[in-house]
Amino acid sequence: MADNRQKQANRDRSKVSASEDHEVEYLMFKFDISKKRALELIIKHGGSRKNVEAELTHSL
């Protein structure tokens, strides 16, 4: 039986959640930053993955 594409989860992948450890750890690993720095950026940018990663990319 094929998957029903009408029943997909409505995840917001454009946001980084500070309450989800695996998302914070991914940022820490990807950009080699501390947990404190990752959480500061998530709060500063309201969880916008695009803005967080843009700031980290420009600061390298």
Side-chain angles (χ1 to χ4, degrees):
M1 179 176 204
D3 289 336
N4 184 348
R5 295 192 182 267
Q6 301 298 324
K7 294 184 178 182
Q8 292 184 352
N10 292 326
R11 298 182 193 132
D12 190 1
R13 293 189 172 109
S14 66
K15 300 284 185 182
V16 180
S17 175
S19 63
E20 295 291 335
D21 288 335
H22 64 278
E23 292 189 16
V24 176
E25 288 172 6
Y26 176 75
L27 277 178
M28 292 168 54
F29 173 76
K30 183 175 181 180
F31 294 103
D32 193 29
I33 59 174
S34 68
K35 184 172 186 173
K36 179 181 176 185
R37 177 77 172 133
L39 292 172
E40 287 172 353
L41 288 169
I42 293 169
I43 292 168
K44 176 181 176 182
H45 293 289
S48 170
R49 183 178 307 275
K50 178 182 167 185
N51 293 341
V52 169
E53 291 188 2
E55 182 170 332
L56 287 168
T57 302
H58 293 301
S59 68
L60 294 178

